[in-house]
Amino acid sequence: MDNMKRKLREDFSRTFGSKDNTRVFFAPGRVNLIGEHTDYVGGHVFPCALNFGTYGIVRKRSDRTVRMFSANMDEKGIIEFSLDEVIFDESHDWVNYPKGVIKEFLSLGHPLSGMDIYVYGDIPNGAGLSSSASLELLMGVIIESLFEIDIDRIELCKMSQRAENNFVGVNCGIMDQFAIGMGKTDCAILLDCDTLNYEYVPLVLKGLSIIITNTNKRRGLADSKYNERREETDKALAILQRKFDIASLGELSLVDFESSKDLFVDDVIYKRSRHSVSENERTLKAVESLMKGDLKLFGSYMNASHASLRDDYEVTCKELDTLVMLAEPFSVGVRMTGAGFGGCIVALVEDSKVEEFKKVVGLEYEKAIGYKPTFYVASIGDGAREI
Ligand code: GLA
């Protein structure tokens, strides 16, 4: 960590003139173990914060100018805007995420000053490990600390979600921001996205590693079918509300849902909501099995989650399905993670099989798809903070 801080100070100094009075912050990425596309339907999710993510080194300015530079997007150079004109600007690219968070603070009346911020992420962009929410929470903890604003952590997560919903225009749920804001070392978070009640569940994996494999197929959520899925589940809710007194799909049991097939004329809407309801139940059962130490059962729920995302929710793709198929023989459980359409899979693999997993899955994937995947052995870390 000290080496990283030293390097960031040097990089900051090269970009912004000197390293005096700088402070360093970190926000992790996240991986979701199960409970996919259930957050925005009021269901449960089970994510955890990773030990890689986004670093930010910052210094306050005395004027109202914000200057930002990302080592991952150095071709974009320094992007600059004024606190008096915080508006979405396509050409500002990644800066729109932190900008949205700044806007949230300003609209609550917090007096901010300008800042110089240098950002470096060791989390791949567009890989479904939530580089965007990581940037949002990074900005959140920077502002909270620099301007000594006393803000509840869950409120900060909600502000970051609002920034993404209203400023960037992706109708995401709360999962990513919550996992990144609230993460805890070696724990996953069982979160009820309706009430925001949550519980830290220790990840006792008994000789298993969490292997994340990136398809290296990039996608951005703004141009994916993410918002379309949200609309489809909204339609399903309206249909089911004719029969049930529910405010969200997360309140419905699978038994009640399955007794209501005749309400649906559109099979697509039926399938979408079958995923929402079944995934929510699966998540609860999976966490229960993990708490009892039954990792095999937990893994089987992961496999079932992938099948449902592939067949009912249709958010997988050839690359994700190929990886999952290749990973299955080596894994206790494996599924796509994140929004889908590309991005990563997550697998639970016996420690002794990790090397073989990487070798075989790597080779066979490249044969089938034409380029290599990337592997990460995940460690579960803490949420966003100053370092
Ligand atoms: C993205 C969104 C989350 C969640 C997942 C799917 O990561 O940002 O809110 O909906 O997709 O589970």
Side-chain angles (χ1 to χ4, degrees):
M1 213 49 116
D2 279 350
N3 281 347
M4 175 63 86
K5 279 170 86 170
R6 208 169 306 121
K7 176 162 182 350
L8 287 168
R9 290 213 168 91
E10 292 313 318
D11 292 342
F12 183 95
S13 174
R14 221 172 309 116
T15 311
F16 293 117
S18 87
K19 57 187 170 201
D20 300 345
N21 303 318
T22 51
R23 289 167 70 175
V24 183
F25 297 83
F26 172 75
R30 69 94 189 90
V31 64
N32 187 23
L33 296 179
I34 192 161
E36 213 67 82
H37 286 277
T38 44
D39 59 351
Y40 52 82
V41 296
H44 292 79
V45 293
F46 195 52
C48 33
L50 294 166
N51 66 341
F52 48 88
T54 320
Y55 296 84
I57 169 160
V58 55
R59 179 172 55 215
K60 250 189 199 174
R61 294 170 60 95
S62 52
D63 60 10
R64 298 199 39 91
T65 301
V66 179
R67 297 193 296 169
M68 291 190 180
F69 179 88
S70 165
N72 304 77
M73 305 255 181
D74 51 354
E75 70 282 1
K76 302 240 172 240
I78 295 176
I79 295 175
E80 186 175 317
F81 62 94
S82 160
L83 287 175
D84 299 317
E85 205 186 3
V86 184
I87 47 170
F88 183 87
D89 182 337
E90 190 87 56
S91 72
H92 283 185
D93 202 272
W94 65 276
V95 166
N96 285 305
Y97 295 95
K99 230 189 203 184
V101 176
I102 292 178
K103 175 121 192 238
E104 284 293 325
F105 276 94
L106 289 173
S107 61
L108 290 175
H110 295 294
L112 309 182
S113 73
M115 291 164 265
D116 287 335
I117 310 178
Y118 180 100
V119 167
Y120 163 71
D122 54 8
I123 178 180
N125 292 333
L129 302 179
S130 222
S131 52
S132 44
S134 178
L135 265 172
E136 290 155 9
L137 263 303
L138 179 73
M139 193 70 240
V141 290
I142 286 177
I143 297 180
E144 155 188 74
S145 309
L146 239 52
F147 301 99
E148 294 172 12
I149 300 169
D150 184 17
I151 188 157
D152 174 63
R153 186 43 77 95
I154 295 181
E155 204 40 54
L156 193 64
C157 297
K158 287 190 195 164
M159 285 167 74
S160 298
Q161 182 198 12
R162 282 204 298 273
E164 185 146 347
N165 291 166
N166 304 332
F167 199 79
V168 182
V170 174
N171 271 327
C172 64
I174 189 72
M175 172 172 74
D176 300 349
Q177 290 77 10
F178 200 97
I180 290 168
M182 298 288 291
K184 188 168 158 185
T185 298
D186 292 334
C187 288
I189 310 173
L190 175 63
L191 171 66
D192 176 340
C193 298
D194 191 25
T195 58
L196 296 192
N197 288 336
Y198 65 98
E199 184 182 346
Y200 290 113
V201 179
L203 282 174
V204 185
L205 295 180
K206 298 183 213 149
L208 299 181
S209 294
I210 302 174
I211 309 288
I212 297 170
T213 311
N214 190 351
T215 59
N216 286 327
K217 177 184 182 190
R218 287 205 48 185
R219 89 287 177 275
L221 283 194
D223 52 18
S224 77
K225 292 198 180 294
Y226 187 86
N227 287 350
E228 188 182 295
R229 290 292 176 277
R230 283 207 69 152
E231 284 159 23
E232 288 164 345
T233 50
D234 283 348
K235 280 186 194 155
L237 176 63
I239 292 168
L240 287 158
Q241 279 172 331
R242 285 192 229 134
K243 183 167 165 190
F244 300 102
D245 181 21
I246 49 168
S248 73
L249 291 179
E251 289 175 29
L252 201 61
S253 72
L254 193 54
V255 172
D256 280 344
F257 174 77
E258 279 171 346
S259 71
S260 315
K261 185 162 198 286
D262 52 333
L263 292 176
F264 291 86
V265 272
D266 185 340
D267 193 46
V268 170
I269 304 295
Y270 177 71
K271 282 200 313 185
R272 300 295 188 252
S273 43
R274 183 165 60 190
H275 169 75
S276 311
V277 177
S278 67
E279 180 77 352
N280 187 37
E281 284 211 358
R282 230 180 340 264
T283 303
L284 289 170
K285 286 187 187 154
V287 175
E288 203 184 300
S289 60
L290 179 72
M291 285 169 156
K292 286 191 186 137
D294 191 341
L295 292 164
K296 223 170 139 203
L297 188 57
F298 182 79
S300 72
Y301 288 121
M302 289 176 76
N303 298 343
S305 165
H306 185 81
S308 177
L309 289 155
R310 180 189 62 213
D311 302 334
D312 277 356
Y313 219 59
E314 298 183 89
V315 290
T316 65
C317 57
K318 187 173 160 214
E319 293 79 357
L320 283 169
D321 291 333
T322 303
L323 269 187
V324 164
M325 189 192 69
L326 294 170
E328 249 165 7
F330 300 95
S331 309
V332 171
V334 55
R335 53 184 291 279
M336 59 152 266
T337 183
F341 314 106
C344 291
I345 66 162
V346 57
L348 293 183
V349 182
E350 275 173 35
D351 292 339
S352 60
K353 290 192 184 156
V354 169
E355 284 317 307
E356 202 190 349
F357 173 100
K358 287 191 199 163
K359 195 170 145 210
V360 177
V361 174
L363 274 173
E364 294 300 321
Y365 181 80
E366 191 178 358
K367 254 194 238 162
I369 302 295
Y371 50 85
K372 290 184 178 27
T374 316
F375 301 97
Y376 312 88
V377 179
S379 298
I380 307 310
D382 286 328
R385 62 198 181 270
E386 182 163 15
I387 54 173

